[in-house]
Amino acid sequence: MALMGHTAEGREATPGYVWLFVLGEVPERWRDRARSASFVPLLPEEAEAVMATGASAPEDPEGDALMRLAARGAPAPSIARLSGVSIRTVHRRLARLRQQLEVDTTAELAAELSRRGFGE
């Protein structure tokens, strides 16, 4: 994907070159060309799927909800009740996430998921 832009004078900016700034700290001379961006930390299998197909990451509202709850330290029974699945299913999904993220405990999983932006 080529990144293109135009200066205030209408000149085309060089494609492929970007500079990242903290939100709100773009120098005045470049504000007319600034674009908003979102950074989404992907789980290993999400990254593999995107890289393999070139497509966007598949929607998984149930998985995202489980990861948000786990990142906040919710116990498995609460996750099960809120997600409408069995406790066994929650334990199985949490175990799979621990394996994918290479952590040993649920506390480490919560910290890693929070670090990746699921705890917000």
Side-chain angles (χ1 to χ4, degrees):
M1 169 176 61
L3 298 171
M4 300 292 288
H6 292 82
T7 65
E9 299 82 30
R11 292 184 306 144
E12 190 173 286
T14 304
Y17 294 93
V18 297
W19 193 269
L20 300 177
F21 290 93
V22 173
L23 186 63
E25 295 185 10
V26 177
E28 181 66 37
R29 69 178 186 255
W30 292 333
R31 286 191 184 148
D32 65 319
R33 290 182 277 156
R35 303 290 182 262
S36 62
S38 297
F39 293 90
V40 180
L42 298 178
L43 295 170
E45 73 278 4
E46 292 172 325
E48 289 171 13
V50 170
M51 297 301 285
T53 64
S56 61
E59 293 290 321
D60 183 10
E62 289 179 9
D64 287 352
L66 179 130
M67 289 184 280
R68 282 193 303 278
L69 290 166
R72 294 178 186 142
S78 295
I79 295 172
R81 188 179 65 255
L82 292 168
S83 302
V85 297
S86 72
I87 293 175
R88 181 180 168 141
T89 297
V90 170
H91 283 295
R92 193 172 49 249
R93 290 179 183 172
L94 292 174
R96 186 172 47 237
L97 281 171
R98 284 193 301 272
Q99 182 181 17
Q100 290 170 345
L101 299 178
E102 299 177 348
V103 296
D104 296 321
T105 68
T106 301
E108 291 172 339
L109 176 63
E112 181 63 19
L113 289 171
S114 184
R115 185 184 73 77
R116 291 175 182 241
F118 288 98
E120 299 171 358

